[in-house]
C-alpha cells in the first residue's frame, strides 16, 4: 500500500462528499472501523470549528482508495466525526454553541477612505481583532 500525504481545504472535502450524491460515491464513511456520525456533543463540535477557524493543528484524517482508478471511492479510515461535523457546519447544518470562544483574526488597517495603510516598506499594516462566532451558522460568520 502506498502512502501519499495530501493537503485539502474544506471546500475540496465538501465537493468530494457531495459527489457521492451523483453517479458514484467519491468520499464514503462506511469503513468498518468507523463509529456512527453525530456522536460529538454540540460544545465539542463547536470547539472543533473554532480550532479550524483559529488555525490550530487538527489531527490527521486517514483515507484509503482501493485501486488506482480515479473513479474508485475514497474511504475514511479515521476522521469521520471531524469531516462530517465540518461538512455539516459549512452547509449550515448547525450553529455554534453559546460557549464558543471568539476567534483572533488579522485584518488590514485602513484609513478614513477605506484604503489599506502601508508601512515604509510598502507592506500592508495589520491588526489582530477578536471576532465573535458563538451561536452562529456558517453563513452568518463575518467575512474576516
Amino acid at each position: 500500500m502506498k502512502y501519499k500525504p495530501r493537503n485539502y481545504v474544506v471546500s475540496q472535502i465538501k465537493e468530494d462528499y457531495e459527489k457521492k450524491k451523483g453517479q458514484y460515491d467519491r468520499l464514503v464513511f462506511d469503513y468498518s472501523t468507523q463509529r456512527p456520525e453525530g456522536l460529538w456533543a454540540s460544545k465539542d463540535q463547536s470547539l472543533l470549528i473554532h480550532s479550524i477557524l483559529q488555525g490550530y493543528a487538527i489531527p490527521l484524517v486517514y483515507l484509503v482508495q482501493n485501486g488506482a482508478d480515479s473513479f474508485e471511492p475514497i474511504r475514511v479510515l479515521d476522521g469521520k466525526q471531524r469531516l462530517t461535523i465540518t461538512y455539516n457546519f459549512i452547509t449550515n447544518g448547525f450553529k455554534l454553541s453559546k460557549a464558543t470562544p471568539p476567534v483572533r483574526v488579522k485584518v488590514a488597517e485602513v484609513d478614513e477612505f477605506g484604503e489599506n495603510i502601508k508601512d515604509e516598506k510598502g507592506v500592508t499594516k495589520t491588526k489582530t481583532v477578536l471576532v465573535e462566532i458563538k451561536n452562529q451558522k456558517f453563513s452568518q460568520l463575518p467575512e474576516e
Side-chain angles (χ1 to χ4, degrees):
M1 174 186 283
K2 291 182 183 178
Y3 171 76
K4 191 182 335 178
R6 293 184 188 166
N7 290 322
Y8 282 96
V9 294
V10 171
S11 60
Q12 289 172 307
I13 295 167
K14 179 181 182 283
E15 184 179 309
D16 278 350
Y17 183 71
E18 287 178 345
K19 283 182 182 177
K20 80 178 210 165
K21 297 175 184 171
Q23 296 177 354
Y24 62 94
D25 289 345
R26 181 71 180 136
L27 181 62
V28 295
F29 299 99
D30 64 356
Y31 215 77
S32 61
T33 59
Q34 289 299 302
R35 297 176 293 157
E37 115 179 45
L39 296 179
W40 288 22
S42 174
K43 182 179 178 186
D44 295 328
Q45 292 179 43
S46 295
L47 289 175
L48 171 66
I49 300 302
H50 174 269
S51 295
I52 292 169
L53 294 174
Q54 193 60 71
Y56 295 153
I58 306 297
L60 295 175
V61 170
Y62 291 93
L63 310 170
V64 65
Q65 186 172 23
N66 296 327
D69 297 323
S70 62
F71 61 83
E72 288 288 332
I74 299 169
R75 298 187 186 285
V76 178
L77 289 176
D78 181 55
K80 177 179 181 176
Q81 302 298 318
R82 286 168 276 150
L83 289 175
T84 55
I85 289 165
T86 303
Y87 177 81
N88 288 338
F89 181 68
I90 66 173
T91 57
N92 289 312
F94 69 93
K95 57 181 166 176
L96 299 173
S97 81
K98 294 177 184 176
T100 308
V103 176
R104 294 185 185 279
V105 178
K106 283 189 179 183
V107 296
E109 291 187 35
V110 295
D111 61 20
E112 64 272 11
F113 304 108
E115 300 292 323
N116 290 348
I117 299 172
K118 300 188 186 267
D119 65 15
E120 61 280 350
K121 295 180 181 178
V123 177
T124 300
K125 290 184 175 184
T126 61
K127 62 183 177 182
T128 302
V129 297
L130 286 178
V131 177
E132 287 294 339
I133 60 172
K134 64 184 173 187
N135 208 31
Q136 294 185 40
K137 289 187 172 189
F138 179 76
S139 63
Q140 298 170 314
L141 293 178
E143 185 65 31
E144 60 270 358

